[in-house]
Amino acid sequence: MKANRLKTILGSARVWTVLVLAAWAVQVQAAATTLTVWHAYRGKEKAAFEKVVANYNKQAAAKGVEATTLAVPYDAYADKITAAVPRGKGPDVFIFAQDRLGGWVEGGSTVEPIGFFLDDKTRNQFLPSMLEAMTYRNTVYGLPLNYKSITLIYNKKLVKVPPKSSGELVKLAKSLTDAAAGRFGLAYAYNDYYYHAALQNAFGGRAFDPGPKPVLNAPQNIAAMKLLLKWIRQDAILPAEPSTALITSLFNDGKAAMVFSGPWFLGEVAPGLDYGLAPLPTIDEAGGKPMRPWLTIEGVYVAMSSRHKEAAYDLAKYLVSEEAGLVLAVEGRQLHTNKAVYTHKAVADDPVLSAFRKQLDTATPMPNFAEMTVMWSPATTAMNTIVRGAARPEVALEKAQRTVEKDVAALRKGR
Amino acid sequence: MKLRALLTQPATLGLLLAVASGVLLSEWFFAQAQDELLAERQERAVVMQAMALADQVAAVEAAAPDSSAPRLAALSRAWSARFSDIVAIRVVRSADAQFLASTDPRDVAPLPRQLAREEKPLYDLGQELRANVETNAAEGVFRKKQIDVARLDRTRLRVAVPYAVGGQVLGFVQVEQRVAAPALPPATGRVAVAIAAPIALFLLAAAAAWRRGRTAPPGRPWAQFGVALLLLGAALYGEARDGLAELGARHERFAVELAQQYTAAKREFESATQALAVKAVTDNRWDVDDYQRPRAIIGADGSVDRIALADELGARATRVTRGLWGNAALSVLVLGFVAFGYARRLRLTLVEHKIAYRYVAPAILGMLVLVFFPFIYGVTLSFTDTTLFNENLPLRELWVGLKNYIVILGDFQVIRGTEGGWVVNYQNFYWTLFITIAWTVCNVTIGVSLGLLLALALNTKGLRFTNVYRVLLILPWAIPNYITALTWRGMFHKQYGVINQVIQMFGGEPVSWFDGVFTSFLTGIATNGWLSFPFMMVITLGGLQSIPQDAYEAARVEGASRWQQFRHITLPYLRPTLIPAIIISVVWTFNMFNIIYLVSGGEPAGSNEILITQAYKIAFEKYQYGYAAAYSVVIFMILLVYGVFQNRVTRATEAIA
């Protein structure tokens, strides 16, 4: 009996040792580098992105690197990054627009500077001003992935030839406007500073001077406001209280002939509505200079808490390469930042992609300072006050300037 | 057992605890201060040498950038030889990722060469220092550290100082040095005396009073407390004086040592100056703080400026004394708590109800972690100046006391007279408070009235389809208010909104709802009224069910009218149900963020903001976390006062007689 029991115990001990050793061996082999990528894409973009990452995994399997993606809902995305990465719980790579970059760099311990890995070949593969958006205080923090800006979207049934100058725009819009019937020639969210920036930049206006120093009350900004008021009051080509929901429904009902909006608008256009895209017109009042919309550039960042920074950079480099860019552009309908992508027929012949590429020639990246966030609320208040006629542009902008200066100074306390 | 009785008096125990905690805590404060002093002295020593070296490196680089490496190597070797404490010197030109010189044998030779992949931290450090110098210059404030100090262990420091050529920061010099860490003599003797002496004196005094027949223990608590307080004060004062004297002596000694070190560095610098074209040193620009601002304590000739030294010691001492005052307050509290018998009462309660306490313990723990800790953190934050830019600094450095509260509550400039008429400052706290109170009062009135009316209507005997009506009337509450708020916002649109179209149908003029302060206010009231009546209706319905029917029968028999029945039977019976519901509704409506943010957005020009949306904007759009925390604490105080007051005045939770 005893011998039997001993044998059973020994036998099982042997079996267990073998099992444990095997498991350990398997684990050692499978202990490849796993990279986590966070993004906030949905639908087609998400599918295209996951396809690109799968391609990367095929190539990187030889090095033992595997990347997994996680789609985070957009509302909570920025806060999740801000909370998770400094505590070491975040991803290795994440994709985000450049507007939060300044805030993250000032807060510290979120974004890893990657200037060290950047070689000239990578630097030169991007369209102009893309890398600039990823740079804060002359340090490069991410690789630009795609860009978005607003452009002129028009209903082909109502508008045969898109206007090239503001004079043509006003003439055309007036002929298509019947305010009593609720029809307008032009509709865009003109009380949103982001959209208004296109008009303001044409005059040479800006929110911040290098420093960054707020200059909301610059004379060029006031001139841009005056032009906007002319469009609303004298020319009466714009609807009142424009919200994005209103603009979309007006355009879809055929009640708005032209719209200034970006790629996000195209997904909401009613099927069957024949629309065209054209670059934003030039502004006669600004000496024929073109409207220069702000670019929102999404970048691929390496998280500071990542344990495999070089592998993460490798993945980032792949995502902005020509191969990945083609998939993202054609299938994900993204406007990729790699110059080479636009030489492919599939992209060059696409009306939407080529239209936004043309708009890029006159677009400018939105500033990525941390101080930008304190600018939005006073600027929006000023816009609403001016548009409603409750205050003159000079007065409202002066008030906004004082508020922003005060808030920026409150942020920058010296030691 | 006289001695035993003496020893177990609450006052004795209290004095023991208070003195022990007070003395030990003040020792801890002084230990912290001494550690800080030592750390600073060590840093300053290394920073001085690194700054001198950086000057020379800048000169070499400026003279011949392409062939600077051999001269830099020679320079580093000379410094290492002259100062035996130096472990390693590295020179990195991060502008083009070049590793120029190093005396550390672990760095792969031959130098100069490109930085290797694993040396990325050196490149990043150089870029960070350059960016910080440029930021401070561009913004005109010193808020980013221009010198990087890393402590490797108690006796080794690594300091990186940027060097600039032609006004541009090109790279940095990193010096790793061993520093002395002299230990302080232990203060056990002082601590023992400070704790034992007051106890002994107190016991003697108590015994003397007892012998003279004045009081038998436990005796008069206030007198004992007074004597104990005096002795506690004396002990803590003695501790403080001793500690400060020790701090001052060490401070002076360190200053003298640093002056000597400066002289040595200057001599080494001058001996190499002939080979390099560097300006002679006329002022001490090497003894700097982390922002490369000269401390101005040691002069260029190695003399110590006594006045500046005394100022610095004064600043340090003030910081410690602030802690000591807090400590003293804590000790007095402990003394009072024990001496007046509260501690004993607490102990007896815990023992008597220990089973109950065990049941409640998990809830207490949960509340502590989930409610009290965040609350206390918020309150602490409100006394600081935390913003996005400085949130990784310790709270101690950002302390501003009551400044945030004074700015919020002391700003009385609500209305100004200008040429255009009266102008209201909509960001002012008192305007926002006025709007919030008006908002709350209107909404609760409407909600309660509507809810009461509908509940009475639904409660009619013999009404058919009550279930259907009830479901329909609950819908506004059931649908997420985020969606309904946006829908209502659309309905108030000037041209396309339903409400204006209905008004036009009846021949009126369309109203620009969001253009006027009052009309914008009405939009919120309408939306929130629609959202809040179901809650009141449900509560009232429940309350109505519990009214005894024979009261109505008796009233009918007596000939009371319907209105009289309502006033004298229904309302009093509803009071215990309605009043708590009203208190809840007031608190919810006071903080109703969604409706204000989504429907009117505070339009026009921020005039319809309520306190909570203001706090949100301050925290998440202006990133001023400390100020927003103060705002939230003010909101909390208002609601607390209201809740306590309302409960007292209406004796709401008491049942009907």
Side-chain angles (χ1 to χ4, degrees):
Chain A
M1 285 310 281
K2 267 199 190 157
N4 261 348
R5 244 171 101 204
L6 202 56
K7 248 203 213 156
T8 329
I9 293 172
L10 277 179
S12 63
R14 242 203 320 246
V15 167
W16 276 114
T17 327
V18 168
L19 279 176
V20 164
L21 280 175
W24 179 78
V26 165
Q27 193 220 27
V28 161
Q29 253 191 343
T33 324
T34 321
L35 296 174
T36 333
V37 183
W38 284 6
H39 63 91
Y41 295 137
R42 291 177 299 193
K44 272 194 295 203
E45 268 187 303
K46 178 164 176 250
F49 187 73
E50 284 173 355
K51 184 168 164 196
V52 164
V53 172
N55 286 345
Y56 175 77
N57 282 339
K58 269 189 263 170
Q59 292 179 10
K63 284 183 277 182
V65 175
E66 197 196 334
T68 54
T69 62
L70 176 68
V72 181
Y74 184 72
D75 286 344
Y77 189 28
D79 293 328
K80 211 166 141 123
I81 298 274
T82 316
V85 173
R87 282 160 191 76
K89 300 244 182 312
D92 294 288
V93 170
F94 62 95
I95 297 184
F96 206 83
Q98 96 276 33
D99 58 347
R100 283 258 183 168
L101 181 60
W104 276 334
V105 174
E106 291 293 346
S109 56
T110 309
V111 194
E112 174 84 15
I114 52 154
F116 187 65
F117 298 129
L118 204 57
D119 54 4
D120 281 334
K121 183 160 155 285
T122 318
R123 213 181 271 269
N124 291 331
Q125 77 184 34
F126 298 117
L127 292 162
S129 72
M130 292 289 135
L131 206 53
E132 173 194 327
M134 296 285 116
T135 309
Y136 184 76
R137 301 243 176 251
N138 285 329
T139 314
V140 180
Y141 282 97
L143 294 178
L145 183 64
N146 62 55
Y147 61 90
K148 295 190 203 36
S149 76
I150 61 174
T151 192
L152 176 62
I153 304 174
Y154 60 95
N155 189 335
K156 279 204 172 138
K157 239 181 29 190
L158 299 168
V159 175
K160 298 289 175 272
V161 177
K164 290 227 174 9
S165 71
S166 60
E168 283 176 33
L169 173 73
V170 172
K171 211 169 86 175
L172 181 59
K174 271 193 180 155
S175 69
L176 290 164
T177 301
D178 182 0
R183 276 188 299 119
F184 290 93
L186 177 63
Y188 72 101
Y190 54 81
N191 56 359
D192 186 338
Y193 199 66
Y194 177 79
Y195 289 81
H196 178 70
L199 188 57
Q200 186 174 280
N201 292 343
F203 283 84
R206 61 254 177 253
F208 285 95
D209 266 344
K213 212 165 81 71
V215 286
L216 285 172
N217 54 355
Q220 298 94 336
N221 296 356
I222 297 175
M225 290 289 184
K226 292 209 165 112
L227 178 62
L228 177 64
L229 283 176
K230 171 171 165 289
W231 282 0
I232 298 173
R233 303 242 186 84
Q234 280 140 291
D235 300 328
I237 51 177
L238 290 161
E241 287 179 31
S243 63
T244 40
L246 179 70
I247 308 285
T248 314
S249 81
L250 284 179
F251 190 72
N252 285 337
D253 288 342
K255 294 212 178 113
M258 292 179 280
V259 167
F260 293 160
S261 197
W264 53 87
F265 185 75
L266 301 176
E268 325 237 324
V269 174
L273 200 149
D274 197 9
Y275 63 85
L277 295 152
L280 291 169
T282 61
I283 303 290
D284 300 329
E285 289 87 342
K289 299 237 183 62
M291 280 176 80
R292 299 165 58 83
W294 268 344
L295 284 167
T296 307
I297 298 173
E298 273 192 337
V300 187
Y301 302 105
V302 173
M304 212 181 246
S305 61
S306 168
R307 274 180 274 261
H308 317 286
K309 295 197 174 118
E310 280 207 53
Y313 178 74
D314 209 37
L315 171 60
K317 218 167 84 154
Y318 179 78
L319 289 174
V320 302
S321 65
E322 186 184 338
E323 190 186 320
L326 200 54
V327 175
L328 288 169
V330 172
E331 293 176 38
R333 316 296 293 143
Q334 278 188 2
L335 297 148
H336 210 256
T337 49
N338 196 324
K339 282 193 280 207
V341 169
Y342 295 91
T343 57
H344 289 258
K345 201 166 170 312
V347 175
D349 287 349
D350 187 308
V352 171
L353 295 179
S354 49
F356 281 107
R357 170 70 186 86
K358 202 142 162 265
Q359 182 65 69
L360 178 64
D361 293 335
T362 48
T364 175
M366 195 166 67
N368 59 10
F369 318 126
E371 288 87 343
M372 279 291 280
T373 44
V374 312
M375 181 268 306
W376 290 110
S377 185
T380 310
T381 309
M383 296 239 40
N384 280 326
T385 329
I386 292 173
V387 156
R388 270 186 306 111
R392 291 196 333 269
E394 295 89 345
V395 173
L397 285 176
E398 179 67 38
K399 188 153 165 282
Q401 166 74 8
R402 267 183 288 138
T403 316
V404 174
E405 274 176 352
K406 201 167 65 116
D407 290 337
V408 167
L411 277 183
R412 290 185 191 155
K413 293 292 177 45
R415 300 258 107 244
Chain B
M1 290 297 300
K2 281 193 196 169
L3 189 61
R4 179 121 165 248
L6 270 180
L7 281 174
T8 52
Q9 280 182 98
T12 321
L13 207 57
L15 183 60
L16 178 63
L17 275 173
V19 152
S21 74
V23 165
L24 288 172
L25 261 178
S26 74
E27 278 298 308
W28 182 79
F29 275 119
F30 278 116
Q32 293 286 92
Q34 293 280 18
D35 280 346
E36 221 180 277
L37 183 64
L38 178 64
E40 194 190 272
R41 181 246 180 282
Q42 290 173 334
E43 266 176 47
R44 279 169 71 183
V46 184
V47 164
M48 265 200 297
Q49 298 194 317
M51 285 288 291
L53 198 50
D55 276 352
Q56 292 191 312
V57 166
V60 170
E61 279 270 284
D66 294 325
S67 59
S68 58
R71 296 163 81 197
L72 288 175
L75 188 64
S76 329
R77 276 196 302 269
W79 275 79
S80 292
R82 174 77 176 77
F83 299 104
S84 54
D85 286 342
I86 295 184
V87 172
I89 297 178
R90 289 192 191 87
V91 182
V92 172
R93 188 167 59 208
S94 51
D96 52 2
Q98 290 288 341
F99 200 167
L100 294 175
S102 168
T103 62
D104 190 338
R106 286 173 304 174
D107 290 331
V108 175
L111 298 166
R113 60 169 169 77
Q114 190 84 4
L115 282 168
R117 291 295 253 208
E118 9 353 306
E119 288 163 350
K120 177 172 188 286
L122 286 175
Y123 177 82
D124 286 342
L125 179 58
Q127 293 289 58
E128 194 188 324
L129 290 175
R130 175 195 53 75
N132 290 357
V133 171
E134 285 174 3
T135 310
N136 286 347
E139 292 180 8
V141 282
F142 286 101
R143 69 177 179 86
K144 297 276 221 184
K145 297 213 171 153
Q146 297 183 197
I147 294 184
D148 178 73
V149 176
R151 184 166 282 274
L152 300 173
D153 57 45
R154 233 178 104 74
T155 55
R156 275 190 318 150
L157 269 183
R158 194 196 285 165
V159 166
V161 168
Y163 72 84
V165 173
Q168 269 280 84
V169 173
L170 287 185
F172 65 96
V173 175
Q174 193 179 61
V175 175
E176 195 179 311
Q177 190 166 333
R178 265 189 303 270
V179 284
L184 274 173
T188 37
R190 186 171 73 201
V191 167
V193 167
I195 297 183
I199 307 284
L201 283 172
F202 183 77
L203 285 174
L204 282 172
W210 195 11
R211 196 167 304 136
R212 241 184 275 158
R214 291 273 180 88
T215 52
R220 290 184 302 200
W222 271 104
Q224 298 200 325
F225 177 73
V227 172
L229 189 64
L230 272 169
L231 290 169
L232 175 67
L236 288 180
Y237 175 75
E239 258 290 306
R241 217 185 42 165
D242 258 355
L244 282 174
E246 203 178 46
L247 194 67
R250 213 166 179 230
H251 190 250
E252 167 112 12
R253 203 172 54 236
F254 284 166
V256 168
E257 286 173 12
L258 277 172
Q260 289 169 341
Q261 208 153 358
Y262 169 75
T263 320
K266 189 166 157 207
R267 247 188 311 221
E268 175 64 25
F269 182 86
E270 279 163 356
S271 76
T273 300
Q274 289 94 0
L276 324 159
V278 190
K279 281 203 314 273
V281 182
T282 49
D283 61 354
N284 177 2
R285 57 171 191 274
W286 297 334
D287 186 22
V288 295
D289 60 10
D290 284 344
Y291 304 91
Q292 286 190 309
R293 289 176 298 196
R295 288 184 200 261
I297 300 182
I298 304 176
D301 54 352
S303 65
V304 177
D305 182 352
R306 294 279 154 191
I307 301 175
L309 188 67
D311 280 344
E312 200 197 37
L313 177 61
R316 204 177 283 278
T318 318
R319 280 202 298 274
V320 181
T321 18
R322 232 185 278 153
L324 290 177
W325 276 113
N327 176 33
L330 186 66
S331 301
V332 168
L333 270 173
V334 168
L335 177 64
F337 187 67
V338 180
F340 286 115
Y342 295 119
R344 186 167 173 275
R345 244 190 278 170
L346 182 64
R347 189 173 54 89
L348 287 174
T349 323
L350 280 174
V351 166
E352 186 186 332
H353 301 288
K354 68 170 169 266
I355 308 258
Y357 273 107
R358 273 195 217 143
Y359 275 116
V360 180
I364 294 182
L365 202 62
M367 288 278 286
L368 262 172
V369 170
L370 295 172
V371 177
F372 286 116
F373 173 68
F375 178 73
I376 300 210
Y377 186 74
V379 173
T380 318
L381 204 60
S382 71
F383 292 118
T384 67
D385 206 4
T386 314
T387 65
L388 172 72
F389 282 8
N390 58 19
E391 64 175 341
N392 41 18
L393 290 173
L395 288 178
R396 234 174 357 125
E397 292 190 27
L398 300 165
W399 202 262
V400 289
L402 293 171
K403 176 168 150 246
N404 287 332
Y405 291 100
I406 294 174
V407 169
I408 295 172
L409 295 170
D411 182 10
F412 293 112
Q413 278 203 330
V414 185
I415 301 187
R416 263 176 333 148
T418 59
E419 327 83 55
W422 293 108
V423 170
V424 180
N425 175 13
Y426 295 128
Q427 307 298 317
N428 187 294
F429 169 76
Y430 290 105
W431 171 262
T432 318
L433 181 63
F434 162 67
I435 291 282
T436 316
I437 292 179
W439 161 261
T440 311
V441 167
C442 291
N443 272 313
V444 175
T445 316
I446 293 179
V448 170
S449 318
L450 262 182
L452 190 56
L453 222 63
L454 286 168
L456 286 171
L458 273 184
N459 206 32
T460 332
K461 258 212 280 281
L463 186 66
R464 303 227 310 263
F465 307 123
T466 43
N467 288 333
V468 179
Y469 296 140
R470 236 195 310 229
V471 168
L472 285 176
L473 288 171
I474 298 255
L475 274 182
W477 193 27
I479 304 177
N481 60 9
Y482 193 95
I483 297 172
T484 51
L486 289 174
T487 313
W488 274 92
R489 183 192 170 86
M491 295 207 292
F492 281 112
H493 191 272
K494 196 161 75 171
Q495 177 158 16
Y496 299 100
V498 155
I499 295 183
N500 270 352
Q501 303 208 337
V502 167
I503 291 179
Q504 284 180 293
M505 227 163 58
F506 282 107
E509 279 294 310
V511 180
S512 290
W513 290 100
F514 298 113
D515 282 358
V517 179
F518 182 61
T519 49
S520 191
F521 186 72
L522 284 180
T523 63
I525 299 279
T527 314
N528 202 31
W530 183 82
L531 281 172
S532 60
F533 79 79
F535 173 69
M536 281 301 168
M537 187 188 78
V538 165
I539 299 270
T540 317
L541 263 178
L544 284 174
Q545 309 290 351
S546 69
I547 300 179
Q549 288 304 310
D550 35 344
Y552 286 117
E553 290 215 7
R556 233 192 359 224
V557 162
E558 302 268 331
S561 71
R562 293 281 292 274
W563 169 249
Q564 280 173 320
Q565 286 179 26
F566 177 73
R567 250 199 77 198
H568 296 284
I569 303 178
T570 318
L571 274 187
Y573 267 103
L574 277 180
R575 233 184 48 170
T577 336
L578 261 187
I579 303 259
I582 291 180
I583 296 183
I584 292 179
S585 185
V586 163
V587 173
W588 279 349
T589 313
F590 203 85
N591 282 339
M592 179 61 74
F593 180 84
N594 280 5
I595 305 303
I596 296 286
Y597 192 76
L598 294 171
V599 178
S600 63
E603 285 306 310
S607 58
N608 267 305
E609 304 262 10
I610 56 176
L611 290 173
I612 193 77
T613 55
Q614 278 281 38
Y616 174 84
K617 288 216 161 102
I618 295 171
F620 299 109
E621 290 179 10
K622 301 188 193 179
Y623 288 149
Q624 292 171 24
Y625 301 134
Y627 190 71
Y631 224 90
S632 320
V633 171
V634 170
I635 298 176
F636 167 74
M637 284 295 167
I638 295 174
L639 287 173
L640 184 68
V641 165
Y642 163 74
V644 167
F645 165 78
Q646 172 81 296
N647 217 14
R648 285 268 175 86
V649 163
T650 60
R651 294 188 308 274
T653 40
E654 285 178 20
I656 183 87

